[in-house]
Amino acid sequence: MKQINSYIDSVFYTKDELLEEVLSSIEENGMRSISVSPSTGKLLTLLVSISGAKNVLEIGALGGYSGICLARGFGKEGTLTSLELVEDYATLAHQNLSKAGFGDQVSYMTGEALQSLEKLVSDNKQFDFFFIDADKDNYENYLKYCIKLAEPGALIVADNVLAGGSVADQSAKSKRYTENMKKFNEMVANHPQLESLLIPIGDGLTVSKVKE
Ligand SMILES: C[S@@+](CC[C@H](N)C(=O)[O-])C[C@H]1O[C@@H](n2cnc3c(N)ncnc32)[C@H](O)[C@@H]1O
């Protein structure tokens, strides 16, 4: 897995100064280096762009790395709503999205994502693309909310679903969230409203289309 991902990154990654500055800003602020991998970021841009999504919801902003990748997919026409627990992280993410030229197209909702999602449902909001990348304990709950908030045909993408390979490889070090990810993968694979597949890029992404 690691070898394959290093190979993909080495062939397909092109130096991206803006995203590298985002990673530096995360380090300088003493935050954990847990942004999506470069190839995952590139895939997010491609998926938003190919699907033509214009109204994106992200769960887990950190310093704005994935936010920039998502926004690049819709360019000048589109909006990103990003949910983040920590106020300071949302502030940094907004600064970084602004540097990337998307400052006016993004809005942050801070606090527990589950509460923000409840608010979005009660406000009758709808989205055509979702990216789940926050606390692993709530992935199943996040998925349920995403389906409630989805326009027909929307895409729901979730990161870290391979849990470092431990969902499939018993010799890989088990993670705290290995069992959660196994359950989540089963859920998206068998959900009657979803058409799904797992793509082994980075730490693994599930891509689900909400049936029309
Ligand atoms: C893996 S990081 C997100 C990385 C980001 N998607 C990127 O690639 O640039 C997970 C983020 O989720 C946030 N988070 C954790 N638990 C949360 C919760 N209950 N509600 C909202 N955000 C949460 C963390 O503060 C952290 O910033």
Side-chain angles (χ1 to χ4, degrees), residues 22-23 26 31-32 34-37 44 58-68 70 83-86 89 109-114 116 131-136 138-139 142 159-160:
V22 173
L23 296 180
I26 288 170
M31 293 153 65
R32 290 170 68 205
I34 48 173
S35 308
V36 293
S37 76
L44 290 176
E58 170 183 65
I59 309 176
L62 194 72
Y65 189 105
S66 58
I68 292 172
L70 292 163
L83 314 186
E84 172 54 52
L85 182 65
V86 185
Y89 293 5
M109 294 174 77
T110 51
E112 284 290 341
L114 286 177
S116 302
F131 180 50
I132 303 174
D133 190 23
D135 53 317
K136 315 298 172 229
N138 273 312
Y139 264 40
Y142 293 152
D159 194 26
N160 303 112

Short mmCIF file of all heavy atoms in Angstrom, two decimals, residues 22-23 26 31-32 34-37 44 58-68 70 83-86 89 109-114 116 131-136 138-139 142 159-160, ligand 1:
data_model
loop_
_atom_site.label_atom_id
_atom_site.label_comp_id
_atom_site.label_asym_id
_atom_site.label_seq_id
_atom_site.Cartn_x
_atom_site.Cartn_y
_atom_site.Cartn_z
N VAL A 22 0.23 25.89 3.16
CA VAL A 22 -0.84 25.49 4.09
C VAL A 22 -0.26 24.49 5.11
O VAL A 22 -0.46 24.62 6.32
CB VAL A 22 -2.04 24.86 3.34
CG1 VAL A 22 -3.06 24.29 4.32
CG2 VAL A 22 -2.70 25.88 2.43
N LEU A 23 0.50 23.51 4.61
CA LEU A 23 1.08 22.51 5.51
C LEU A 23 2.03 23.17 6.51
O LEU A 23 2.03 22.84 7.70
CB LEU A 23 1.80 21.42 4.71
CG LEU A 23 0.90 20.57 3.81
CD1 LEU A 23 1.70 19.52 3.06
CD2 LEU A 23 -0.22 19.89 4.61
N ILE A 26 0.13 24.93 9.25
CA ILE A 26 -0.43 23.97 10.22
C ILE A 26 0.64 23.62 11.25
O ILE A 26 0.40 23.62 12.46
CB ILE A 26 -0.96 22.72 9.47
CG1 ILE A 26 -2.24 23.09 8.71
CG2 ILE A 26 -1.19 21.56 10.42
CD1 ILE A 26 -2.74 22.04 7.75
N MET A 31 -0.38 22.48 15.12
CA MET A 31 -1.49 21.55 14.88
C MET A 31 -0.94 20.25 14.31
O MET A 31 0.17 20.21 13.78
CB MET A 31 -2.47 22.20 13.86
CG MET A 31 -3.16 23.41 14.44
SD MET A 31 -3.68 24.62 13.20
CE MET A 31 -4.91 23.74 12.27
N ARG A 32 -1.74 19.17 14.41
CA ARG A 32 -1.27 17.88 13.91
C ARG A 32 -1.24 17.86 12.38
O ARG A 32 -2.08 18.49 11.73
CB ARG A 32 -2.18 16.76 14.40
CG ARG A 32 -2.03 16.52 15.90
CD ARG A 32 -3.10 15.58 16.40
NE ARG A 32 -2.92 14.24 15.87
CZ ARG A 32 -3.92 13.35 15.74
NH1 ARG A 32 -5.14 13.68 16.07
NH2 ARG A 32 -3.68 12.15 15.27
N ILE A 34 -2.35 16.24 9.79
CA ILE A 34 -3.31 15.19 9.41
C ILE A 34 -4.19 15.63 8.23
O ILE A 34 -5.34 15.21 8.11
CB ILE A 34 -4.17 14.74 10.62
CG1 ILE A 34 -4.72 15.95 11.39
CG2 ILE A 34 -3.39 13.82 11.54
CD1 ILE A 34 -5.71 15.59 12.50
N SER A 35 -3.62 16.52 7.39
CA SER A 35 -4.34 16.89 6.17
C SER A 35 -4.37 15.67 5.24
O SER A 35 -3.56 14.75 5.38
CB SER A 35 -3.62 18.03 5.44
OG SER A 35 -3.36 19.09 6.31
N VAL A 36 -5.26 15.70 4.26
CA VAL A 36 -5.29 14.62 3.27
C VAL A 36 -3.95 14.57 2.53
O VAL A 36 -3.23 15.56 2.46
CB VAL A 36 -6.43 14.79 2.23
CG1 VAL A 36 -7.78 14.65 2.88
CG2 VAL A 36 -6.32 16.11 1.47
N SER A 37 -3.64 13.40 1.94
CA SER A 37 -2.39 13.26 1.18
C SER A 37 -2.50 14.06 -0.12
O SER A 37 -3.62 14.37 -0.57
CB SER A 37 -2.14 11.79 0.85
OG SER A 37 -3.00 11.39 -0.20
N LEU A 44 -9.84 14.78 -4.90
CA LEU A 44 -11.00 15.58 -4.49
C LEU A 44 -11.30 16.66 -5.53
O LEU A 44 -12.45 16.87 -5.91
CB LEU A 44 -10.76 16.24 -3.12
CG LEU A 44 -10.72 15.31 -1.91
CD1 LEU A 44 -10.36 16.09 -0.64
CD2 LEU A 44 -12.05 14.58 -1.71
N GLU A 58 -18.04 20.11 3.80
CA GLU A 58 -16.87 19.40 4.32
C GLU A 58 -17.04 19.24 5.83
O GLU A 58 -17.40 20.20 6.51
CB GLU A 58 -15.63 20.23 4.01
CG GLU A 58 -14.36 19.74 4.69
CD GLU A 58 -13.18 20.67 4.39
OE1 GLU A 58 -13.20 21.85 4.83
OE2 GLU A 58 -12.24 20.21 3.75
N ILE A 59 -16.73 18.05 6.34
CA ILE A 59 -16.77 17.84 7.80
C ILE A 59 -15.33 17.60 8.25
O ILE A 59 -14.74 16.56 7.96
CB ILE A 59 -17.68 16.65 8.17
CG1 ILE A 59 -19.06 16.80 7.51
CG2 ILE A 59 -17.82 16.55 9.69
CD1 ILE A 59 -20.01 15.62 7.74
N GLY A 60 -14.72 18.61 8.90
CA GLY A 60 -13.32 18.54 9.33
C GLY A 60 -12.45 19.43 8.46
O GLY A 60 -12.01 19.02 7.39
N ALA A 61 -12.20 20.68 8.93
CA ALA A 61 -11.48 21.65 8.09
C ALA A 61 -9.97 21.64 8.33
O ALA A 61 -9.19 21.83 7.40
CB ALA A 61 -12.01 23.06 8.37
N LEU A 62 -9.55 21.45 9.58
CA LEU A 62 -8.15 21.61 10.00
C LEU A 62 -7.61 22.94 9.48
O LEU A 62 -8.13 23.99 9.84
CB LEU A 62 -7.31 20.39 9.57
CG LEU A 62 -5.93 20.30 10.24
CD1 LEU A 62 -6.06 19.91 11.72
CD2 LEU A 62 -5.02 19.29 9.55
N GLY A 63 -6.57 22.93 8.61
CA GLY A 63 -5.99 24.19 8.14
C GLY A 63 -6.41 24.59 6.74
O GLY A 63 -5.83 25.51 6.16
N GLY A 64 -7.38 23.86 6.17
CA GLY A 64 -7.91 24.28 4.88
C GLY A 64 -7.31 23.58 3.66
O GLY A 64 -7.63 23.93 2.52
N TYR A 65 -6.46 22.56 3.90
CA TYR A 65 -5.84 21.87 2.75
C TYR A 65 -6.90 21.23 1.85
O TYR A 65 -7.00 21.54 0.65
CB TYR A 65 -4.85 20.82 3.27
CG TYR A 65 -3.97 20.18 2.22
CD1 TYR A 65 -2.63 20.53 2.10
CD2 TYR A 65 -4.46 19.20 1.36
CE1 TYR A 65 -1.80 19.93 1.15
CE2 TYR A 65 -3.65 18.60 0.41
CZ TYR A 65 -2.33 18.96 0.31
OH TYR A 65 -1.52 18.36 -0.64
N SER A 66 -7.72 20.36 2.44
CA SER A 66 -8.75 19.70 1.61
C SER A 66 -9.77 20.72 1.12
O SER A 66 -10.33 20.57 0.02
CB SER A 66 -9.45 18.56 2.37
OG SER A 66 -10.04 19.03 3.55
N GLY A 67 -10.01 21.77 1.92
CA GLY A 67 -10.96 22.82 1.51
C GLY A 67 -10.52 23.46 0.21
O GLY A 67 -11.33 23.67 -0.70
N ILE A 68 -9.23 23.75 0.11
CA ILE A 68 -8.71 24.36 -1.13
C ILE A 68 -8.85 23.38 -2.29
O ILE A 68 -9.27 23.75 -3.40
CB ILE A 68 -7.23 24.80 -0.95
CG1 ILE A 68 -7.14 25.97 0.03
CG2 ILE A 68 -6.59 25.16 -2.29
CD1 ILE A 68 -5.73 26.37 0.43
N LEU A 70 -11.04 21.01 -2.66
CA LEU A 70 -12.46 20.92 -3.04
C LEU A 70 -12.86 22.17 -3.84
O LEU A 70 -13.49 22.07 -4.90
CB LEU A 70 -13.34 20.81 -1.79
CG LEU A 70 -13.22 19.50 -0.99
CD1 LEU A 70 -13.79 19.66 0.42
CD2 LEU A 70 -13.92 18.35 -1.72
N LEU A 83 -17.35 22.37 8.33
CA LEU A 83 -17.66 22.21 9.75
C LEU A 83 -16.37 21.87 10.51
O LEU A 83 -15.63 20.97 10.10
CB LEU A 83 -18.67 21.08 9.95
CG LEU A 83 -19.89 21.07 9.02
CD1 LEU A 83 -20.87 19.98 9.46
CD2 LEU A 83 -20.59 22.42 8.99
N GLU A 84 -16.11 22.60 11.56
CA GLU A 84 -14.87 22.38 12.31
C GLU A 84 -15.12 22.62 13.81
O GLU A 84 -15.73 23.60 14.19
CB GLU A 84 -13.77 23.32 11.78
CG GLU A 84 -12.49 23.33 12.58
CD GLU A 84 -11.85 21.95 12.80
OE1 GLU A 84 -11.64 21.20 11.84
OE2 GLU A 84 -11.59 21.63 13.99
N LEU A 85 -14.60 21.69 14.61
CA LEU A 85 -14.78 21.76 16.06
C LEU A 85 -14.07 22.97 16.67
O LEU A 85 -14.61 23.68 17.51
CB LEU A 85 -14.22 20.46 16.68
CG LEU A 85 -14.34 20.28 18.18
CD1 LEU A 85 -15.80 20.19 18.60
CD2 LEU A 85 -13.60 19.01 18.62
N VAL A 86 -12.82 23.20 16.22
CA VAL A 86 -11.95 24.18 16.88
C VAL A 86 -11.99 25.52 16.14
O VAL A 86 -11.61 25.60 14.96
CB VAL A 86 -10.49 23.65 16.94
CG1 VAL A 86 -9.59 24.59 17.73
CG2 VAL A 86 -10.46 22.24 17.52
N TYR A 89 -8.82 26.65 14.37
CA TYR A 89 -8.52 25.91 13.13
C TYR A 89 -9.34 26.51 11.97
O TYR A 89 -8.83 26.68 10.86
CB TYR A 89 -8.86 24.43 13.26
CG TYR A 89 -8.02 23.63 14.23
CD1 TYR A 89 -7.06 24.24 15.03
CD2 TYR A 89 -8.17 22.25 14.34
CE1 TYR A 89 -6.29 23.48 15.92
CE2 TYR A 89 -7.40 21.50 15.21
CZ TYR A 89 -6.48 22.12 16.00
OH TYR A 89 -5.73 21.38 16.87
N MET A 109 -18.70 26.64 10.04
CA MET A 109 -19.59 26.47 11.19
C MET A 109 -18.74 25.76 12.24
O MET A 109 -18.25 24.66 12.00
CB MET A 109 -20.80 25.61 10.82
CG MET A 109 -21.71 26.28 9.80
SD MET A 109 -23.06 25.17 9.25
CE MET A 109 -24.17 25.25 10.65
N THR A 110 -18.54 26.41 13.37
CA THR A 110 -17.66 25.82 14.38
C THR A 110 -18.48 25.14 15.48
O THR A 110 -19.66 25.44 15.68
CB THR A 110 -16.71 26.86 14.98
OG1 THR A 110 -17.48 27.98 15.41
CG2 THR A 110 -15.68 27.32 13.97
N GLY A 111 -17.80 24.23 16.18
CA GLY A 111 -18.45 23.44 17.23
C GLY A 111 -18.62 22.01 16.76
O GLY A 111 -18.08 21.61 15.72
N GLU A 112 -19.34 21.22 17.55
CA GLU A 112 -19.58 19.81 17.22
C GLU A 112 -20.27 19.69 15.86
O GLU A 112 -21.35 20.27 15.66
CB GLU A 112 -20.50 19.18 18.28
CG GLU A 112 -19.83 18.86 19.59
CD GLU A 112 -18.84 17.71 19.48
OE1 GLU A 112 -18.92 16.92 18.52
OE2 GLU A 112 -17.98 17.62 20.36
N ALA A 113 -19.69 18.91 14.97
CA ALA A 113 -20.27 18.78 13.62
C ALA A 113 -21.71 18.27 13.68
O ALA A 113 -22.55 18.70 12.87
CB ALA A 113 -19.40 17.86 12.78
N LEU A 114 -22.00 17.39 14.63
CA LEU A 114 -23.37 16.84 14.67
C LEU A 114 -24.39 17.94 14.91
O LEU A 114 -25.49 17.91 14.34
CB LEU A 114 -23.49 15.76 15.76
CG LEU A 114 -22.82 14.42 15.45
CD1 LEU A 114 -22.95 13.47 16.64
CD2 LEU A 114 -23.40 13.78 14.19
N SER A 116 -23.97 21.16 14.06
CA SER A 116 -24.04 21.97 12.83
C SER A 116 -24.88 21.25 11.78
O SER A 116 -25.66 21.88 11.06
CB SER A 116 -22.63 22.21 12.27
OG SER A 116 -21.84 22.85 13.24
N PHE A 131 -17.66 15.86 1.90
CA PHE A 131 -16.38 15.24 2.23
C PHE A 131 -16.31 15.05 3.74
O PHE A 131 -16.33 16.02 4.49
CB PHE A 131 -15.20 16.11 1.74
CG PHE A 131 -13.87 15.50 2.07
CD1 PHE A 131 -13.60 14.17 1.74
CD2 PHE A 131 -12.87 16.24 2.69
CE1 PHE A 131 -12.37 13.58 2.06
CE2 PHE A 131 -11.65 15.67 3.00
CZ PHE A 131 -11.40 14.34 2.68
N ILE A 132 -16.26 13.79 4.16
CA ILE A 132 -16.24 13.45 5.60
C ILE A 132 -14.79 13.17 6.00
O ILE A 132 -14.16 12.24 5.48
CB ILE A 132 -17.10 12.19 5.88
CG1 ILE A 132 -18.54 12.39 5.41
CG2 ILE A 132 -17.05 11.84 7.37
CD1 ILE A 132 -19.42 11.13 5.53
N ASP A 133 -14.27 13.99 6.94
CA ASP A 133 -12.88 13.80 7.37
C ASP A 133 -12.69 14.36 8.79
O ASP A 133 -11.78 15.16 9.03
CB ASP A 133 -11.93 14.49 6.38
CG ASP A 133 -10.46 14.13 6.63
OD1 ASP A 133 -10.21 13.06 7.22
OD2 ASP A 133 -9.58 14.91 6.21
N ALA A 134 -13.57 13.95 9.71
CA ALA A 134 -13.42 14.43 11.10
C ALA A 134 -13.32 13.20 12.02
O ALA A 134 -12.77 12.18 11.60
CB ALA A 134 -14.59 15.34 11.46
N ASP A 135 -13.82 13.31 13.25
CA ASP A 135 -13.69 12.20 14.21
C ASP A 135 -14.31 10.91 13.68
O ASP A 135 -15.46 10.88 13.24
CB ASP A 135 -14.30 12.60 15.56
CG ASP A 135 -15.74 13.09 15.40
OD1 ASP A 135 -16.00 13.85 14.47
OD2 ASP A 135 -16.58 12.66 16.20
N LYS A 136 -13.50 9.85 13.78
CA LYS A 136 -13.91 8.57 13.15
C LYS A 136 -15.08 7.92 13.88
O LYS A 136 -15.78 7.09 13.31
CB LYS A 136 -12.73 7.58 13.13
CG LYS A 136 -11.41 8.17 12.68
CD LYS A 136 -11.46 8.70 11.26
CE LYS A 136 -10.21 9.45 10.88
NZ LYS A 136 -10.41 10.74 10.27
N ASN A 138 -17.81 9.11 14.61
CA ASN A 138 -19.10 9.58 14.12
C ASN A 138 -19.33 9.38 12.63
O ASN A 138 -20.30 9.92 12.08
CB ASN A 138 -19.27 11.06 14.47
CG ASN A 138 -19.85 11.24 15.86
OD1 ASN A 138 -20.83 10.59 16.21
ND2 ASN A 138 -19.22 12.08 16.67
N TYR A 139 -18.44 8.65 11.97
CA TYR A 139 -18.59 8.51 10.51
C TYR A 139 -20.00 8.02 10.11
O TYR A 139 -20.58 8.51 9.15
CB TYR A 139 -17.54 7.55 9.95
CG TYR A 139 -16.31 8.25 9.41
CD1 TYR A 139 -15.76 9.36 10.07
CD2 TYR A 139 -15.68 7.83 8.25
CE1 TYR A 139 -14.63 9.99 9.58
CE2 TYR A 139 -14.55 8.45 7.75
CZ TYR A 139 -14.03 9.53 8.41
OH TYR A 139 -12.92 10.16 7.92
N TYR A 142 -22.37 10.83 10.53
CA TYR A 142 -22.14 11.84 9.49
C TYR A 142 -22.76 11.37 8.17
O TYR A 142 -23.38 12.15 7.45
CB TYR A 142 -20.65 12.12 9.32
CG TYR A 142 -20.00 12.79 10.52
CD1 TYR A 142 -18.65 12.61 10.82
CD2 TYR A 142 -20.74 13.61 11.36
CE1 TYR A 142 -18.07 13.23 11.92
CE2 TYR A 142 -20.17 14.22 12.47
CZ TYR A 142 -18.82 14.02 12.74
OH TYR A 142 -18.26 14.63 13.83
N ASP A 159 -12.77 9.94 4.02
CA ASP A 159 -11.33 9.62 4.05
C ASP A 159 -11.00 8.67 5.20
O ASP A 159 -11.78 8.51 6.14
CB ASP A 159 -10.54 10.94 4.20
CG ASP A 159 -9.05 10.72 3.90
OD1 ASP A 159 -8.70 9.79 3.14
OD2 ASP A 159 -8.23 11.49 4.43
N ASN A 160 -9.83 8.05 5.10
CA ASN A 160 -9.26 7.17 6.15
C ASN A 160 -10.00 5.86 6.34
O ASN A 160 -9.93 5.25 7.41
CB ASN A 160 -9.18 7.90 7.50
CG ASN A 160 -8.38 9.18 7.43
OD1 ASN A 160 -8.93 10.27 7.57
ND2 ASN A 160 -7.10 9.09 7.15
C1 LIG B 1 -8.18 14.91 9.73
S1 LIG B 1 -8.53 16.54 10.24
C2 LIG B 1 -9.23 17.27 8.80
C3 LIG B 1 -8.24 17.48 7.71
C4 LIG B 1 -8.79 18.30 6.55
N1 LIG B 1 -9.97 17.66 5.99
C5 LIG B 1 -7.74 18.40 5.46
O1 LIG B 1 -7.44 17.38 4.84
O2 LIG B 1 -7.23 19.52 5.24
C6 LIG B 1 -9.94 16.35 11.24
C7 LIG B 1 -10.54 17.67 11.72
O3 LIG B 1 -11.82 17.37 12.29
C8 LIG B 1 -12.01 18.20 13.40
N2 LIG B 1 -12.96 17.52 14.31
C9 LIG B 1 -12.73 16.50 15.16
N3 LIG B 1 -13.84 16.16 15.81
C10 LIG B 1 -14.82 16.99 15.37
C11 LIG B 1 -16.19 17.15 15.68
N4 LIG B 1 -16.78 16.39 16.58
N5 LIG B 1 -16.89 18.11 15.05
C12 LIG B 1 -16.29 18.90 14.10
N6 LIG B 1 -14.99 18.79 13.76
C13 LIG B 1 -14.26 17.85 14.39
C14 LIG B 1 -10.62 18.32 14.03
O4 LIG B 1 -10.53 19.47 14.85
C15 LIG B 1 -9.73 18.37 12.80
O5 LIG B 1 -9.48 19.69 12.40
#
